[in-house]
Amino acid sequence: MNISDKALFLIDIVEKAGFEAYAVGGCVRDSLMKRACSDVDIAVSATPFETEEILKKHNVSFYETGLKHGTITAVLQGECFEITTFRTDGDYKDNRHPENVRFVKDIKEDLSRRDFTINAMAYNEKNGVVDLFGGKKDLENKIIRAVGDADTRFKEDALRIMRALRFASQLSFKIEEGTSAAIFRNKDLLRSVSAERIFSELSKLLLGDGVFKILSEYKEVLAVVIPELKPSFDCQQINPWHIYDVWTHTCRSVEACPKDLKLRLTMLLHDIGKPATKTTDEKGINHFKGHQAVSAEASSVILKRLKVSNDIYNYAMAIIPIHDITVGTDKKNIKKWLGKLNEEYFRGLIAVKRADKLAQNPQKTAAELKNLDIILSSLDEIISQNEAFTVKELAVNGRDLIELGLTGKAVGDALNALLERVIGDELENSREALLDYVKDNLI
Ligand code: ATP
Ligand code: MG
């Protein structure tokens, strides 16, 4: 087992004080899968107070994270470890919060409150892996299975529905039949789960290797969270550019996109306005005129509802309304777009366009994909050579022009005129050349 020495040290000092202590949950799962694990959670039979005394005795600093839930965070040489007293959850009244938690003395009770068999294992050096629900076997067979009765578990905490989907996507696992059926039966309970908790799991789902399969197979579950997606599900695209319906195209494009949350979320929503704009011409070909704007409008509502950060919101909203535009390959064009957007959004736009193309008819997209490569290498050149694409990069500023006698609006107009000529390679971006141009032409 690949549990860090620091975690083993903490387990050891708790055990030496006469209690039981285990690494639990995600780290045991990841270690058995030989995956790197982000953090080691520790479960102990000691009460939070007793744990604090043990940590103090060994000069380990800590802070109280969630005393009500029995959690203390120990800080060992800068690394944090959550240490939680074995507990069971009390009654769930609202499909999300246990009314109360009860501390227990037995690891078995603690493991049985956990969501899936692969997450319900514990490990310490004394007892090895404690696996009461067949977690190891499910790991081998790549299966997500609820601990206990799936319906009951999803009714207790509906977020587990999203968690099942996210683990299946992250690990490329299959959701066991009974668990899967219970997911569909209970999906509407997700309405009572907070946007923050949903978005946290949705984010991990979108970044998983298995995202295509999960988005396709569990679209009806996703539609509880984002009902605006529903019309895309059976929306055919009869035209030469597409080989998939809107939803399959969307899922394929998310999968084709780099694993970056802002990008993948943008991709998930980029065509959401297509069904509302669909028309069929006399030859039976489908068109989606104006879908970028409609997609953007719906996305704005969805992203606000999901309470995403401003950073994510602004990124998606910069790209979705223009995801379908043609960006020419000449540098002038690229600089104009760079000026309108910024480098991050422009790179995002190109990444979105690439993923979009990769999810279309492959017989039609080779030339456009090549153009995107050309655009990217020009972009790299523009950035590395510090070539101007906004007035900020010009070798003169407003003050220089005021000194030459320009005032008010004429200053901004002159800067823009200079930029246009610099971008068009008609004027060198040097102080002298720019000032000369202003003197000769703009005064
Ligand atoms: P990751 O590596 O993504 O953090 P993880 O398994 O550690 O995966 P966490 O959300 O950090 O996932 O949760 C830690 C552990 O707590 C899980 O492995 C699981 O045993 C338990 N757990 C977390 N959330 C729930 C829940 N909603 N219901 C039941 N058990 C849960
Ligand atoms: Mg974790």
Side-chain angles (χ1 to χ4, degrees), residues 289-315:
K289 278 225 173 77
H291 81 274
Q292 301 182 106
V294 180
S295 294
E297 213 172 299
S299 299
S300 169
V301 174
I302 293 163
L303 293 169
K304 282 184 184 155
R305 199 174 60 227
L306 288 174
K307 302 204 172 125
V308 306
S309 67
N310 287 341
D311 189 38
I312 294 179
Y313 180 87
N314 292 338
Y315 185 93

Side-chain angles (χ1 to χ4, degrees), residues 79-96:
E79 202 179 324
C80 291
F81 296 87
E82 287 199 348
I83 305 182
T84 306
T85 304
F86 295 164
R87 62 179 173 88
T88 60
D89 296 334
D91 290 339
Y92 289 81
K93 291 241 166 84
D94 56 358
N95 317 116
R96 17 183 195 146

